[in-house]
Amino acid sequence: MSELIDFAELRESARSVLTAECSSEQLHKFLDDKADLAVALRKTMAELGWYALPVPEAHGGLGLGCGDLAAIYYELGRVCAPSDFLGSMLVGHALLLGQPGALSDTLLPALAAGELSGAVWGLAQALQPEALAVSAQRQGDTFVLSGQLAQITDATAADVLLLPARNADASLSWILLDLKSGSVQLQPTKAVDRTRSFATLALDGVQIPAERVLASGAAADALAAALLDHAALAIACDSVGGAEAIFEKTLEYLNTRKQFNRLIGSFQALKHRCSNLKVALVASTVSVEDAVQAMRDNASAPNLKVTMAKAYAADVYAQVAADSVQLHGGIGFTWEQDCHIYLKRAKLNQQLFGSGSWYRDRAATQLLAAGEAGA
Amino acid sequence: MSVDILSKRENLEAFRAALRGWLEKTVPADWSQRMAVASEDEYVEFQRWWLFELEKVGLATPHWPQKWGGQELGVRQQVVFFEEIARINAPNPTVFVISLYHLPATLFAWGTQDQIDRYLPTVKQGIVWCQGFSEPNAGSDLASLRCRAERVGDKYVVNGQKVWSSNAAQAQHCLLLVRTDLEAPKHKGITFLIMDMNSPGVTVRPIHQSNGNAEFAEIFLDNVEIPVENRLGEENQGWQIAQSTLSAERGMIIFELSERTNYFFENLLTELRKGDSPWFGDDELRRRFVQCYTELQALRGMIRKMLAEVEATGQLGTLPTYIKILYGELLQRFTDLMVQIDGIAGQEERPGLQQGGYPTGNALYDYLSSWVWTISGGTNEVLKNVIAERLLGLPREG
């Protein structure tokens, strides 16, 4: 699986495209509601075939695994790109692992062609179905959904929403909701991280055909673990990409700004701060690289390396971004500077798909279980 | 029946199996408990015994070039060697670190054939070497050292004081840095000598450390005479030569320590899986534990990347400095966590195994010893300057 593409080349090409199409200037215009960068990026990425990467060849794609998609996730993070890419990839993943049928036969080619935009909600919550805020009641050959969803990420242009629901027997089902059917209405809300969007959704007895249930019971639990690893890996890569970028910009600033007749980067306190950040950055990058390699080698979910990498990389990103504000001095606190963009993205990464504490507790459980596997 | 490990070196699996079998037969089961309460001299004797056992199977100096009695083991074989050593918690011959690593690195690069013939054999004889570099007023600023050597006929007459010399009390020879030119810029007036520790005028005084040990010592030099033929390289070339000494094999030493630390974690996890470690139910302690484990795995990944670079290019690359900083800081964080877990019972004084480098099970002792890694070998602060200026491109001060 991991021989299908040259990972370094894919990453290099993604970097090149995103550097040109998602510059700091374009991003600032987008944040000020003066440009539809998300739409423009989606068009470019679709034309380049990025949405087709994980789709099986039979449906018009390249059949790559989520470990290979890391090449794109790193680079999206580097430029804080506003994008539906992760949501769409997770929907694709669910279609691939769920019940095959007419739905996946129609939607997978649409995804590959760049004509299906997807979003997800509730990946972490799905691990405790008995406590899920959304329920699904069977009614003949339809299902009735009830519940409230909040902080649905990057769904404003989505055609479909993947969400977990609690069955009557407290088991799990995965639902692929059609957002364009007219029976549901997403209410956009604003995330502080303006490179991402939020929305809420009220499900008040919404009826969906049975084919929209992608998996139930044990199969749904297995899908939950796989989707969570995928999302966690993506956020870990986003974090490393973003941390590297804002760190580079900070070094540049320290080598440019003069006070007291010298470059401020010559002051030891600032040097040591940067060296500390660099050590953390190198270490968290290796942690993520190991997780990416495990996924490319088809490790089964849940994967301990991925769990550890998400918590670690998100925290290091937040630290680097926070220090970047301080190291830029006064202008680090301005809207016009890039620092706050990275800081806000980092803070959301710390919460997306589960918090750092949640992931560390998950890793603890995985560590205890590893012995039983005779590792 | 003689054990043949080296002949299997081309087949890593067979090499590992043969080594593991030999280790299981040879490593005494209770050695660390015995040595924790042994005297300094008994521990040195034990390490000498271990060195001789390794030499019986040709593994005392596996990393040396073949023409000088080594095995020239490749990186992969050395990795297997240290993995197996760590796995069984084999003795760590720390008293021979200078003789096994620093001495040969310096001799191979700068020694004459005569010096190599004279000194190299002492290593396998279990003779202890020490380093005489740092001084009370020359620690991080080593180049400012003042130990004076005056050329008198065919000898140097040396006066001065050295400090922080590991195992100087047991050493027979010393790698000594002295100042031979008072006028030249400080880096250009230093000479590298090999000193016989039994020479008249040499006094050794152990340093009493905060962890209760005295593995380091001061060396006082009062008109000590050192023959000119004991000089390595040219007069005033010492600083350049010392760079070979200081960078000797840092890679494998840290690899071994991180593997030993990893096995410590694995043993801890085995205990945890039995289900009777109440501390694991404490959210803060458990999450700190996971974070330490995460960072240790990241460190191990960095070390393997560095070793892959060594294998491919022969160069260490940029990773060693990051590795050294992370190891010391992580060791301190982790041993502190273990101290918290031990609670007040862990505050009782118990014997500690003198190792200076990885968790041994006596958490408070390990914690107190952790400053060996953040201070010696270049303080982390100096290294952070190096990173900032040489690796991050930030401007020099002034």
Side-chain angles (χ1 to χ4, degrees):
Chain A
M1 228 350 105
S2 52
E3 305 332 311
L4 285 176
I5 46 122
D6 184 314
F7 189 90
E9 254 178 48
L10 180 59
R11 189 170 170 183
E12 198 54 60
S13 126
R15 178 174 296 205
S16 174
V17 168
L18 289 168
T19 303
E21 309 272 329
C22 191
S23 65
S24 168
E25 215 185 300
Q26 288 162 305
L27 199 59
H28 279 277
K29 284 205 185 113
F30 173 73
L31 297 195
D32 295 341
D33 291 324
K34 292 192 176 81
D36 216 336
L37 182 58
V39 168
L41 278 179
R42 176 165 225 293
K43 186 163 179 293
T44 302
M45 288 161 62
E47 279 164 12
L48 289 171
W50 291 6
Y51 291 93
L53 292 172
V55 174
E57 287 180 56
H59 288 300
L62 254 68
L64 300 189
C66 54
D68 293 321
L69 295 176
I72 312 280
Y73 295 140
Y74 277 125
E75 298 308 315
L76 290 171
R78 189 177 170 78
V79 297
C80 294
S83 172
D84 69 338
F85 189 71
L86 175 57
S88 300
M89 293 297 99
L90 287 165
V91 164
H93 195 165
L95 286 168
L96 284 170
L97 289 190
Q99 286 276 41
L103 192 65
S104 51
D105 285 348
T106 321
L107 296 186
L108 283 172
L111 178 65
E115 287 156 14
L116 182 78
S117 177
V120 307
W121 175 88
L123 295 198
Q125 294 90 314
L127 296 194
Q128 275 188 284
E130 66 280 5
L132 271 171
V134 179
S135 66
Q137 294 280 2
R138 184 152 204 147
Q139 256 182 35
D141 57 354
T142 69
F143 282 80
V144 175
L145 304 176
S146 300
Q148 295 277 9
L149 290 70
Q151 290 93 44
I152 307 168
T153 316
D154 292 331
T156 37
D159 300 303
V160 292
L161 175 67
L162 178 69
L163 62 128
R166 182 184 79 248
N167 297 322
D169 64 356
S171 67
L172 176 68
S173 277
W174 282 99
I175 314 289
L176 190 66
L177 193 63
D178 181 353
L179 293 176
K180 307 291 191 214
S181 68
S183 59
V184 292
Q185 183 73 49
L186 280 182
Q187 302 297 333
T189 63
K190 255 198 152 87
V192 171
D193 171 11
R194 290 193 181 185
T195 69
R196 273 104 154 218
S197 68
F198 273 165
T200 58
L201 181 62
L203 295 171
D204 238 325
V206 174
Q207 206 165 39
I208 56 159
E211 65 157 4
R212 290 264 154 189
V213 177
L214 299 187
S216 278
D221 291 332
L223 181 55
L227 290 174
L228 190 68
D229 272 8
H230 183 163
L233 187 71
I235 298 305
C237 294
D238 188 279
S239 299
V240 159
E244 262 175 32
I246 190 59
F247 186 62
E248 279 163 30
K249 288 177 206 265
T250 304
L251 290 178
E252 223 178 277
Y253 184 73
L254 295 177
N255 259 319
T256 317
R257 170 74 171 170
K258 271 187 158 178
Q259 283 290 265
F260 306 107
N261 285 320
R262 53 199 270 200
L263 290 169
I264 63 170
S266 67
F267 288 102
Q268 191 177 79
L270 306 193
K271 277 190 217 178
H272 281 206
R273 202 146 174 180
C274 289
S275 296
N276 287 335
L277 293 177
K278 179 67 175 179
V279 172
L281 197 45
V282 170
S284 60
T285 299
V286 168
S287 178
V288 174
E289 281 172 2
D290 280 353
V292 169
Q293 192 56 50
M295 295 297 256
R296 296 186 71 211
D297 293 340
N298 283 318
S300 60
N303 185 278
L304 175 63
K305 291 180 181 183
V306 173
T307 309
M308 294 194 299
K310 196 273 183 184
Y312 189 24
D315 282 356
V316 170
Y317 186 15
Q319 183 65 57
V320 173
D323 276 13
S324 81
V325 174
Q326 187 72 14
L327 289 166
H328 275 80
I331 61 157
F333 195 58
T334 65
W335 190 266
E336 288 73 25
Q337 201 67 17
D338 287 351
C339 302
H340 74 103
I341 301 175
Y342 286 88
L343 178 59
K344 290 165 184 171
R345 187 136 170 149
K347 297 314 278 182
L348 180 50
N349 278 6
Q350 283 181 306
Q351 302 302 325
L352 266 181
F353 308 120
S355 70
S357 299
W358 189 86
Y359 274 90
R360 288 189 176 103
D361 286 349
R362 187 168 163 74
T365 307
Q366 289 172 321
L367 276 170
L368 291 185
E372 288 151 34
Chain B
M1 174 181 133
S2 80
V3 175
D4 199 356
I5 303 168
L6 284 169
S7 67
K8 302 178 174 69
R9 59 198 281 174
E10 293 313 314
N11 179 336
L12 283 182
E13 285 312 308
F15 179 70
R16 184 190 296 277
L19 177 59
R20 186 176 288 196
W22 177 80
L23 283 168
E24 279 168 359
K25 269 192 7 254
T26 316
V27 173
D30 62 345
W31 75 268
S32 56
Q33 289 97 294
R34 280 194 292 121
M35 287 304 120
V37 296
S39 71
E40 193 87 27
D41 287 337
E42 282 169 347
Y43 191 32
V44 171
E45 229 5 82
F46 174 75
Q47 291 186 45
R48 187 171 285 123
W49 168 82
W50 176 245
L51 186 75
F52 291 161
E53 287 300 308
L54 282 170
E55 180 55 11
K56 285 180 191 168
V57 289
L59 289 173
T61 58
H63 52 296
W64 288 11
Q66 268 183 355
K67 73 173 178 179
W68 282 317
Q71 300 303 330
E72 252 170 80
L73 273 193
V75 169
R76 284 173 202 246
Q77 283 84 356
Q78 289 187 60
V79 164
V80 168
F81 176 76
F82 287 114
E83 281 175 346
E84 293 302 313
I85 289 282
R87 179 180 170 275
I88 200 169
N89 192 28
N92 189 358
T94 52
V95 78
F96 298 113
V97 163
I98 306 291
S99 60
L100 289 172
Y101 293 99
H102 300 76
L103 171 70
T106 319
L107 278 181
F108 295 155
W110 301 98
T112 62
Q113 191 56 55
D114 176 63
Q115 287 164 335
I116 292 172
D117 292 342
R118 256 197 292 156
Y119 293 122
L120 218 53
T122 67
V123 181
K124 290 191 187 180
Q125 289 160 14
I127 296 208
V128 178
W129 283 68
C130 67
Q131 222 168 262
F133 280 23
S134 297
E135 297 178 2
N137 284 309
S140 289
D141 187 6
L142 181 61
S144 71
L145 65 92
R146 297 202 298 225
C147 182
R148 179 84 175 92
E150 250 187 274
R151 178 74 180 263
V152 176
D154 59 353
K155 295 188 208 309
Y156 288 101
V157 178
V158 182
N159 282 282
Q161 186 189 345
K162 293 294 180 184
V163 75
W164 296 117
S165 184
S166 303
N167 305 118
Q170 286 85 24
Q172 296 227 36
H173 300 286
C174 177
L175 302 175
L176 186 69
L177 284 181
V178 296
R179 182 160 302 283
T180 36
D181 188 343
L182 293 171
E183 310 301 318
K186 62 185 186 182
H187 294 88
K188 301 204 165 144
I190 295 170
T191 298
F192 201 122
L193 303 175
I194 293 180
M195 178 176 74
D196 178 347
M197 290 293 284
N198 295 313
S199 310
V202 177
T203 311
V204 176
R205 195 163 77 198
I207 296 170
H208 197 187
Q209 295 151 214
S210 55
N211 63 0
N213 292 139
E215 70 195 82
F216 294 100
E218 294 180 287
I219 308 175
F220 296 90
L221 305 170
D222 185 11
N223 288 321
V224 177
E225 293 182 357
I226 301 177
V228 165
E229 57 263 28
N230 284 24
R231 187 187 70 217
L232 276 181
E234 299 306 313
E235 196 163 293
N236 297 320
Q237 199 185 18
W239 183 254
Q240 194 186 357
I241 296 170
Q243 302 317 303
S244 301
T245 322
L246 292 167
S247 61
E249 285 299 337
R250 167 89 46 79
M252 278 306 167
I253 292 174
I254 289 213
F255 176 69
E256 180 187 344
L257 292 177
S258 70
E259 290 304 294
R260 286 181 184 266
T261 304
N262 193 50
Y263 274 108
F264 184 85
F265 269 86
E266 290 303 323
N267 292 334
L268 199 58
L269 283 167
T270 302
E271 277 310 301
L272 285 171
R273 288 169 194 140
K274 291 179 185 160
D276 41 39
S277 301
W279 71 264
F280 207 63
D282 180 305
D283 288 347
E284 186 193 327
L285 295 178
R286 182 181 63 254
R287 289 166 190 163
R288 276 172 68 181
F289 175 79
V290 168
Q291 182 58 22
C292 286
Y293 184 82
T294 302
E295 288 182 42
L296 176 64
Q297 301 317 313
L299 176 74
R300 292 175 75 222
M302 287 159 70
I303 294 172
R304 274 165 209 271
K305 269 181 106 160
M306 176 190 73
L307 294 177
E309 169 126 16
V310 170
E311 195 182 26
T313 68
Q315 301 301 316
L316 285 166
T318 58
L319 285 168
T321 316
Y322 304 132
I323 289 167
K324 196 267 183 185
I325 288 175
L326 182 57
Y327 185 72
E329 292 182 354
L330 176 59
L331 185 67
Q332 206 150 83
R333 275 198 287 276
F334 176 61
T335 53
D336 186 24
L337 174 62
M338 298 310 295
V339 168
Q340 305 309 317
I341 290 168
D342 277 358
I344 193 158
Q347 297 290 323
E348 287 230 29
E349 197 172 294
R350 293 182 282 140
L353 182 69
Q354 192 174 295
Q355 291 290 357
Y358 65 95
T360 64
N362 181 337
L364 187 48
Y365 175 84
D366 290 340
Y367 172 70
L368 291 171
S369 303
S370 67
W371 273 268
V372 169
W373 273 95
T374 57
I375 296 177
S376 70
T379 63
N380 280 4
E381 284 67 27
V382 166
L383 292 178
K384 286 173 189 184
N385 264 22
V386 169
I387 288 174
E389 289 168 10
R390 293 193 217 160
L391 300 176
L392 300 181
L394 290 174
R396 302 190 79 94
E397 207 143 350

